[in-house]
Amino acid sequence: MTHVPPPAEELRLLDAELWQLDARRAQLLTRRAWLVSALQQPAPVWPLPVAPPRPEAGAPRVQNVLLLLGGVLLTIAAMVFTLVSWGHLGITGRALVLGAVTLAVLAAPAALLRRGLGSTAESVAGLGLALTALDAYALHETVFARTDGTSYAAVTTAVLAALWTAYDRLLVTTSRASAEGALRLPLSAALAAAQLPLLLWAIAVSAGPYGITAALLLTAGFDTIVALRSTATAVRLVAALGAYGIGGWGALAAGWLSWDAAGPSAAARAAALLTLAAAIALGAAWRLPGPAAATGTAVAAGLFLVAAGGGVLRVVLPAGWTVPGYLACGVALLAAVRVGLPQPVRRGLVLASGAVQAAAVVCALPLIAVALLGPLGWAERPWSGVPADARAAVTIHTPWPPFPAQLLLGPLVVAAVLALLVRGETRRRHALTGATVLAWATVTAVPAVFQLPYPAALLLEGATTIAALAAAVFLVLPVTATALALGGSLSLAFLALPSQAATLIVLSVLTAVFATASVRPHLTPVFAPTALVYAAALACATGAAADWQPQYTALLVLAVPVAATLLAPRQGNAHARVPVELTGAAAGLLAIGLAVTDPPMLALVLALCGVIAAGTAIRPDRRSVGYAAAVLFLLATWVRLASWGVGTVEAYTIPVTVPALCIGAWRRRRDPMASSWTAYAPGLAATLLPSLTAAWHDPHWTRPLLLGTAALLITLLGARHRLQAPLVLGGSVLALDAMHELAPYLVQLTGALPRWLPLALAGLLLLTLGTTYERRIRDARRIRDILEGMH
């Protein structure tokens, strides 16, 4: 019912609404007037500011480019004059021209510096230095023409370096510049020229590779001193480039001479050169301010010392002791830790020692790889006979490295160094891990290196594996010990393959020890599945030793899934249950694969796997395994029927339908709201549809009759209980089965009828549909008229 207010109240409401409308109208009119006035005034046009063009190059840069180009052009002109036009003047003229030009050019920078033109003075000084070099060339061509070119170049570069240094000092004095130098170019050029005298002198006197290398290293030492003492940035840069470039070249040459030395004398001379390089690098590392640069230079110094000592030991010791010799020098380098050196220098020497030790371990890796992975080759020919010794047991498909005993010293010594010398809580833990791994690898390779008897190799590797297991059990480096136990057991299992007795004993022991170790909760997720794997391998080996067929061995392998099913519920941690169950499932698949060639035995194995899966499904957290059990039982039934030669389709489908209908009825009882399509359709379709397909291709009457009878019963049951799925499926199958039976008669009836009858029936059908359509339209219009007439 609509509420109608009293007249007085309604009048008050209307007045309030009209007042609000008037106020809003006045506001809008005011805004409109302002907008009209704003549109009538022309908008001012402001001119855009024009920015001045930005210069693309600064004034100092333009100045430097011009000065550089000018100096280069003048230098080229002087060279052309000296090389081309020299012959047109006499000796006096030549001397006067070159002397006057050189003196004038060299004197100009002092005046330019006093006037504050430093860049111009730098350019002119560069031209003067180039003229002095041309003067030296001219002197050689005229006065010293018969002098050896290399010797003259050595003397000339030394003299030029001295003259250019004196020229820089003279400019500092005359221009009253700072002590760092008036110009950057003269002193830098002097230092660049100083790189050549010693090298050229060594070449001139035929000093040989040792003398040339010594010249390079002495030059690098001079550059290092200059770089550490000089305060001018340009000079330090040139000195650093010379120290690293020429010093690296000299160190590489000394290292090659040490490696190529054929006797103690040559090795000693090369060691002296390497010691000189190490002394230079160590002195530089001591004085360098940056810790990173100091550490890197100290690493180079340590490597030079190791190369020096190792080179001498290489020629003194017998063949094969090269790696141990260098390793001994690398370990001796650790003595620098206890010397009062700066921290960056000590760190660099320790890193150099670590690099040498790592190289020694890398050299031993092929030997360890053969010892660990070589037994894998026995998988191709198991039980083919006991090998002669441990080395023959690991070299079935791989070559044996030379000098194995000497190479094995590398990981052994490094393990001892890590265990005894490394300190600090974090580094100590990592060092013990590395030492343990290296010691385990060394012990594993010992039988093959010393060609111990085959049983001794088995015992030693078995003892190593059990020791790793014990360490994992008692939480001594548990992660590392677990990994070593797994790796060692795998290598041991393959190493035992040549002998039948050894295989059975080793697999039995491995199964027992891993099962015992899996009692510890922190080891169960890894060791329990490992024990099951070795148990499955033991079952296969036992069947092969008993000369059983694979399908009979499969029954023995099924003990592993049974053990996994019994063991998994006892694990309180889900992380331990899942690996155990997965291992048991894999063993079940192995058993099925072994029995696949024998259908009757395959059916039995599938049924037993179904029983194991059903037992697992009893647990509340593994109800879903019941589906797998049902599938296994069904597969077992089908395989058994196929082995009996049964070709009737219903024999394969009824074992699916009956359990499915029982489960559907059980679900409907627990959940009355469940649909009949969910409860009964899968089970009914599993038999009705394959049987209907078979009935359509069956020339006999028995199958269609039985199928029709079953479909009729299903339809009646669906109608009785008002269930949609049995009613629809049963009725559809019954109708299709009836059509199949009546099809021949319908074909005969179609041939007996006149040909116009189908057309007449089609026309009658269309006419009936049209009439029905028109009647519905008429009824719709009548309803519309009635609705329009309503108020």
Side-chain angles (χ1 to χ4, degrees):
M1 300 298 292
T2 303
H3 173 70
V4 179
E9 180 67 15
E10 184 176 2
L11 180 61
R12 187 184 64 78
L13 294 174
L14 289 175
D15 290 338
E17 288 288 334
L18 290 173
W19 181 83
Q20 291 180 1
L21 290 174
D22 291 338
R24 180 59 178 167
R25 186 172 184 274
Q27 182 182 3
L28 293 176
L29 287 174
T30 303
R31 180 63 180 172
R32 180 180 181 277
W34 183 87
L35 290 173
V36 170
S37 63
L39 290 174
Q40 290 176 354
Q41 297 177 1
V45 179
W46 300 97
L48 296 175
V50 179
R54 183 176 59 86
E56 296 182 356
R61 182 175 298 178
V62 174
Q63 163 194 300
N64 293 335
V65 171
L66 294 177
L67 292 176
L68 177 62
L69 289 176
V72 169
L73 292 177
L74 289 175
T75 303
I76 293 175
M79 292 175 62
V80 171
F81 171 78
T82 304
L83 298 175
V84 178
S85 301
W86 187 261
H88 300 292
L89 299 175
I91 296 177
T92 305
R94 300 170 188 173
L96 290 175
V97 170
L98 274 178
V101 172
T102 302
L103 291 175
V105 172
L106 290 176
L112 293 173
L113 287 172
R114 284 193 294 270
R115 288 173 174 79
L117 302 176
S119 299
T120 305
E122 196 85 54
S123 180
V124 175
L127 175 61
L129 298 180
L131 288 175
T132 56
L134 291 175
D135 291 341
Y137 170 75
L139 286 176
H140 179 266
E141 292 297 320
T142 56
V143 180
F144 302 104
R146 296 185 179 182
T147 305
D148 178 63
T150 305
S151 302
Y152 181 79
V155 175
T156 301
T157 51
V159 172
L160 287 177
L163 289 177
W164 290 347
T165 304
Y167 178 65
D168 179 78
R169 297 298 93 190
L170 181 63
L171 286 178
V172 170
T173 303
T174 57
S175 62
R176 296 183 296 276
S178 63
E180 295 183 0
L183 299 176
R184 291 172 298 192
L185 187 59
L187 204 56
S188 300
L191 184 58
Q195 308 300 310
L196 300 176
L198 284 178
L199 177 62
L200 295 174
W201 174 79
I203 296 174
V205 299
S206 301
Y210 293 94
I212 294 174
T213 303
L216 291 173
L217 293 175
L218 290 175
T219 304
F222 169 73
D223 291 335
T224 302
I225 295 173
V226 172
L228 292 174
R229 290 183 172 274
S230 177
T231 57
T233 304
V235 176
R236 293 183 65 182
L237 178 61
V238 175
L241 291 175
Y244 283 107
I246 296 179
W249 185 13
L252 289 176
W256 176 255
L257 291 174
S258 175
W259 184 259
D260 195 50
S265 175
R269 284 183 290 169
L273 294 174
L274 286 170
T275 305
L276 175 61
I280 295 171
L282 196 60
W286 199 307
R287 294 289 302 275
L288 282 174
T295 300
T297 309
V299 169
L303 293 178
F304 296 156
L305 290 175
V306 171
V312 174
L313 294 178
R314 183 184 64 83
V315 298
V316 174
L317 296 175
W321 288 88
T322 300
V323 173
Y326 281 102
L327 178 60
C329 296
V331 174
L333 199 62
L334 292 175
V337 177
R338 302 186 180 276
V339 180
L341 296 175
Q343 180 64 24
V345 178
R346 283 188 295 169
R347 185 185 303 113
L349 294 178
V350 171
L351 290 177
S353 175
V356 175
Q357 295 177 55
V361 173
V362 170
C363 292
L365 283 182
L367 173 66
I368 296 173
V370 172
L372 290 175
L373 304 179
L376 298 178
W378 291 105
E380 296 182 358
R381 45 177 183 176
W383 300 354
S384 57
V386 177
D389 51 37
R391 184 177 296 182
V394 300
T395 55
I396 180 173
H397 289 309
T398 53
W400 186 247
F403 310 114
Q406 293 85 345
L407 291 177
L408 198 61
L409 287 174
L412 182 62
V413 171
V414 174
V417 169
L418 292 175
L420 299 177
L421 299 183
V422 177
R423 295 292 182 266
E425 183 178 354
T426 303
R427 289 183 297 175
R428 179 69 175 171
R429 184 170 62 253
H430 295 305
L432 288 178
T433 300
T436 303
V437 173
L438 292 175
W440 171 80
T442 303
V443 173
T444 303
V446 162
V449 169
F450 295 100
Q451 292 182 295
L452 298 180
Y454 176 69
L458 290 176
L459 291 175
L460 184 59
E461 192 155 355
T464 305
T465 302
I466 294 175
L469 272 170
V473 169
F474 294 105
L475 297 177
V476 179
L477 299 174
V479 177
T480 303
T482 300
L484 295 182
L486 293 176
S489 65
L490 185 62
S491 178
L492 177 61
F494 280 98
L495 185 63
L497 283 178
S499 170
Q500 176 178 320
T503 301
L504 295 175
I505 294 173
V506 166
L507 291 177
S508 301
V509 172
L510 291 177
T511 302
V513 296
F514 276 102
T516 304
S518 65
V519 176
R520 300 300 295 268
H522 68 283
L523 298 177
T524 304
V526 178
F527 283 176
T530 305
L532 293 176
V533 169
Y534 285 125
L538 178 61
C540 294
T542 303
D547 203 15
W548 289 356
Q549 294 296 324
Q551 59 268 24
Y552 299 106
T553 304
L555 297 176
L556 193 58
V557 174
L558 284 178
V560 176
V562 172
T565 303
L566 298 175
L567 180 64
R570 301 177 182 273
Q571 309 304 320
N573 190 356
H575 295 292
R577 289 197 299 268
V578 173
V580 171
E581 291 170 344
L582 290 178
T583 307
L589 291 176
L590 174 62
I592 293 172
L594 291 173
V596 74
T597 56
D598 189 355
M601 188 59 67
L602 177 60
L604 177 59
V605 171
L606 288 171
L608 293 175
C609 290
V611 172
I612 297 172
T616 304
I618 296 175
R619 292 162 47 194
D621 58 336
R622 292 292 184 266
R623 297 296 190 195
S624 58
V625 184
Y627 296 106
V631 172
L632 289 170
F633 283 130
L634 181 61
L635 291 176
T637 305
W638 286 355
V639 171
R640 173 58 65 181
L641 292 174
S643 65
W644 286 339
V646 176
T648 304
V649 177
E650 289 74 13
Y652 295 91
T653 58
I654 289 176
V656 181
T657 296
V658 173
L661 291 177
C662 293
I663 293 173
W666 174 74
R667 180 173 181 180
R668 286 273 297 179
R669 179 173 297 181
R670 294 190 60 184
D671 184 10
M673 300 302 295
S675 173
S676 63
W677 289 100
T678 304
Y680 301 119
L684 294 175
T687 295
L688 290 178
L689 297 182
S691 297
L692 180 61
T693 304
W696 274 74
H697 297 85
D698 193 346
H700 304 288
W701 59 271
T702 307
R703 187 190 299 273
L705 178 60
L706 294 175
L707 178 61
T709 303
L712 178 60
L713 292 175
I714 291 171
T715 304
L716 294 175
L717 288 173
R720 170 69 178 80
H721 296 283
R722 297 181 181 180
L723 298 176
Q724 201 177 73
L727 184 63
V728 173
L729 288 175
S732 300
V733 173
L734 180 60
L736 292 173
D737 186 62
M739 287 180 61
H740 173 263
E741 293 302 310
L742 294 176
Y745 303 102
L746 293 176
V747 172
Q748 294 177 6
L749 180 62
T750 303
L753 292 175
R755 295 185 177 181
W756 54 265
L757 186 59
L759 298 177
L761 293 175
L764 182 61
L765 177 62
L766 294 176
L767 182 61
T768 304
L769 292 175
T771 303
T772 305
Y773 186 76
E774 183 180 8
R775 186 183 301 112
R776 290 180 178 177
I777 292 176
R778 183 194 62 191
D779 295 340
R781 288 175 179 174
R782 183 178 300 171
I783 294 172
R784 184 192 63 186
D785 295 337
I786 294 172
L787 292 175
E788 288 179 353
M790 291 182 179
H791 296 287

